Amino acid sequence: MSTTDDRRTPAIVEAARRTLERPLASYQLVLGATALLLGLGLIMVLSASSVFALVNYGNSFSIVLRQMIFAVLGVIGAIIAARMPLPLLRRFIVPFLAVSVLLVMATFIPGVGLERNGNRNWLPLVGGFQLQPSEFAKLALVLWIADIYARRQKYLEIPRYVITPMVPVAGSIALLVVGQHDLGTALVLFALIIGMLWVAGLPRKQMGALLAVLFVGLVLAVAQSPHRVQRLLNFTNPEADPDSAGFQAIHGMMALARGGFWGVGLGGSRQKWGSLPEAHTDFILAVIGEEIGLVGALVVLGLFIVLGFAGLRIATRTKEPFVRYTAAGITIWIMIQAVINIGMVLGLLPVIGIPLPLISYGGSSLLVTLVALGILLNCATSEPGARRALQAGRANRKKGK
């Protein structure tokens, strides 16, 4: 038996190595993981939101239909982003950043910005839809930072060229989001800033100083909200306040515990019947764990690992500076957000309110994330032989028709 296993293991490793050596390996990994996460997300949004939608809108499908509209728009945007020449894309970066900042600032205007769950980070659209400008600011910042660093590639050994103007501009935008009381999105933006500084090679001394400033700033931001202070103090022991600060965390863990290994079956969640707040948004992973068990949760985790691996692979294999920084930035942003959400649901981090990319309900988040992954697909074509292989595949498909 051991001899058979010894022979089989190298064969599996060799097959994986050969697969990764294919020119379009990174492209296919990003595309496959994105498609699976999007499909699973739509299914789980339908399941997790059905009761809430029926009670509040009289139609169990109303929420998932909204999500599907943004999914279609996001896929169209991703296709355009994946095929757009990167030099053309770079021309739109500064206008995109400016518009994103103006939209974030518009949320502070009385009568314009909308407040939900204590966060003033929404703008009204037609048909009852709402826009969250801070989601667009994430992508705008990634592209702007990547463009700045790509232009300064020869000077990034000098710390001031790494820090300015990136940190003042990006930090100001993150502070605007803090002003909206959206600490979850602000935390992702701050993590993105630190991650991009690390990718650009900022020395440890300057990095340590910035981390210290960031830590103090986050403490002050949390201290301004008694509700967040209470959640932070209770997250290690939510049972101490089960009816308030610990309520959501406790019911999330109850959902995971009930699901066990295989889950209770798709649609069989009890927590989505009103016991678990934000079941179809921030805590959708708890519903996944309850309905399709540890297996389903591990599938989600595995797909994010594949996506992160592919993004870092693109960033390290490319020779183009803009592609490297863009791929790294998109990967850092999506992985950090996923880690925070998963850690929050598992009780490893305080509950701060942040969606799970591609899975949670939220039109703005889904739309922007899909466009970002379309750009990551575009970046994947810069790997050696990838563009040629992709063009050959498209030509063969046309001939087959």
Side-chain angles (χ1 to χ4, degrees), residues 292-309:
I292 52 180
L294 177 63
V295 173
L298 289 177
V299 168
V300 172
L301 182 61
L303 289 172
F304 276 113
I305 291 173
V306 170
L307 194 58
F309 168 76

Side-chain angles (χ1 to χ4, degrees), residues 203-358:
R204 294 180 181 178
K205 184 177 180 180
Q206 287 83 358
M207 183 70 82
L210 287 172
L211 284 171
V213 172
L214 175 60
F215 177 77
V216 172
L218 288 175
V219 170
L220 292 175
V222 172
Q224 292 178 356
S225 172
H227 179 64
R228 289 197 180 98
V229 172
Q230 191 178 17
R231 280 193 167 185
L232 182 63
L233 295 176
N234 283 278
F235 97 93
T236 55
N237 185 24
E239 292 83 1
D241 190 7
D243 296 324
S244 182
F247 184 86
Q248 194 171 20
I250 290 173
H251 283 268
M253 294 303 295
M254 288 172 62
L256 294 172
R258 181 170 180 261
F261 191 82
W262 296 109
V264 298
L266 192 62
S269 170
R270 290 181 182 175
Q271 294 299 323
K272 70 182 182 184
W273 286 78
S275 300
L276 178 63
E278 309 297 337
H280 57 290
T281 56
D282 301 342
F283 267 71
I284 196 169
L285 183 65
V287 178
I288 292 174
E290 185 178 7
E291 294 192 346
I292 52 180
L294 177 63
V295 173
L298 289 177
V299 168
V300 172
L301 182 61
L303 289 172
F304 276 113
I305 291 173
V306 170
L307 194 58
F309 168 76
L312 292 178
R313 189 170 187 265
I314 295 167
T316 54
R317 284 167 58 90
T318 184
K319 297 180 180 179
E320 301 177 22
F322 177 72
V323 171
R324 178 167 65 253
Y325 294 120
T326 299
I330 291 172
T331 304
I332 290 170
W333 150 30
I334 294 176
M335 292 303 106
I336 286 292
Q337 185 165 325
V339 166
I340 293 174
N341 179 276
I342 293 170
M344 178 182 71
V345 174
L346 295 179
L348 302 176
L349 294 172
V351 177
I352 57 175
I354 191 169
L356 185 60
L358 298 172

Side-chain angles (χ1 to χ4, degrees), residues 168-189:
V169 173
S172 298
I173 296 172
L175 289 175
L176 282 175
V177 176
V178 171
Q180 296 177 324
H181 303 293
D182 187 358
L183 190 59
T185 301
L187 186 60
V188 173
L189 290 175

